[in-house]
């Protein structure tokens, strides 16, 4: 059985389908190509603060952020105490490595967070710059190191919330 649509309805149907297709193309054109934000954490050695911040951003920003860390003068290793203090809260920092700014992709970051590198931080292409004055946990007492770690977590959480 074949259904025939009267000509006047057929023209209306063609118009409706054309409008729907046009709206779909417009919505597709307006949708962001990549909704994730690129966030970079920079400190001097990329062995403590920036490594912890990268770890927290990976945990707290899953699906929202593409996160990186680097050092203006990288030490070449992640501080064993940073690994220890992140392990306390269930994150394995031993898989991370200390890297320099030259190891970063050549992109514009949505947010560049400097963490105590002062004049040692060269220009990094970014849309927004934030400086977190945080003590370096290297050589600090156990409780002081935990406080710095927890402060980094809190700041990363606030930063990710601000990206929405």
């Amino acid at each position: 059985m074949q259904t025939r649509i009267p000509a006047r309805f057929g023209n209306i149907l063609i118009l409706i389908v054309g409008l729907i297709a046009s709206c779909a193309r417009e919505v597709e054109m307006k949708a962001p190509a990549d909704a994730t934000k690129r966030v970079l954490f920079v400190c001097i050695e990329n062995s403590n603060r920036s490594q912890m911040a990268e770890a927290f951003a990976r945990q707290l920003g899953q699906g929202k952020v593409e996160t990186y860390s680097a050092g203006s003068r990288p030490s070449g290793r992640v501080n064993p105490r940073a690994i220890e203090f992140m392990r306390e809260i269930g994150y394995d920092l031993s898989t991370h490595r200390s890297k320099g700014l030259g190891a970063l992709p050549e992109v514009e970051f949505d947010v560049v967070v400097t963490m105590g590198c002062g004049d040692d931080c060269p220009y990094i292409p970014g849309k927004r710059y934030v400086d977190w004055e945080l003590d370096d946990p290297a050589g600090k007492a156990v409780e002081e190191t935990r406080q710095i770690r927890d402060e980094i977590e809190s700041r990363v959480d606030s930063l990710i919330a601000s990206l929405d």
Side-chain angles (χ1 to χ4, degrees), residues 41 48-57 60 86 113 115 132 134-137 145-159:
F41 299 97
N48 277 307
R49 295 166 290 186
S50 57
Q51 289 288 342
M52 289 181 191
E54 178 184 1
F56 286 124
L60 301 169
M86 290 301 287
V113 179
M115 309 173 83
W132 291 349
L134 289 164
D135 286 336
D136 187 345
T145 301
R146 285 186 183 123
Q147 288 173 352
I148 293 168
R149 176 201 62 201
D150 296 346
E151 177 66 21
I152 291 170
E153 179 180 24
S154 176
R155 290 184 188 204
V156 168
D157 191 36
S158 295
L159 176 68

Side-chain angles (χ1 to χ4, degrees), residues 13-95:
L13 187 58
I14 289 170
L15 179 64
I16 290 170
V17 169
L19 286 170
I20 291 170
S22 174
C23 289
R25 279 191 302 273
E26 186 175 328
V27 167
E28 185 178 296
M29 288 174 18
K30 290 180 180 176
D34 184 7
T36 60
K37 304 290 185 185
R38 289 186 185 104
V39 178
L40 170 63
F41 299 97
V42 182
C43 68
I44 297 170
E45 294 185 344
N46 189 227
S47 63
N48 277 307
R49 295 166 290 186
S50 57
Q51 289 288 342
M52 289 181 191
E54 178 184 1
F56 286 124
R58 287 177 189 267
Q59 280 185 325
L60 301 169
Q62 288 182 353
K64 290 183 178 180
V65 298
E66 188 178 312
T67 185
Y68 301 87
S69 70
S72 55
R73 285 181 285 143
S75 68
R77 68 181 184 91
V78 176
N79 188 310
R81 290 192 73 217
I83 294 170
E84 173 190 341
F85 284 99
M86 290 301 287
R87 186 175 291 129
E88 284 182 356
I89 58 170
Y91 191 94
D92 183 9
L93 203 60
S94 68
T95 61

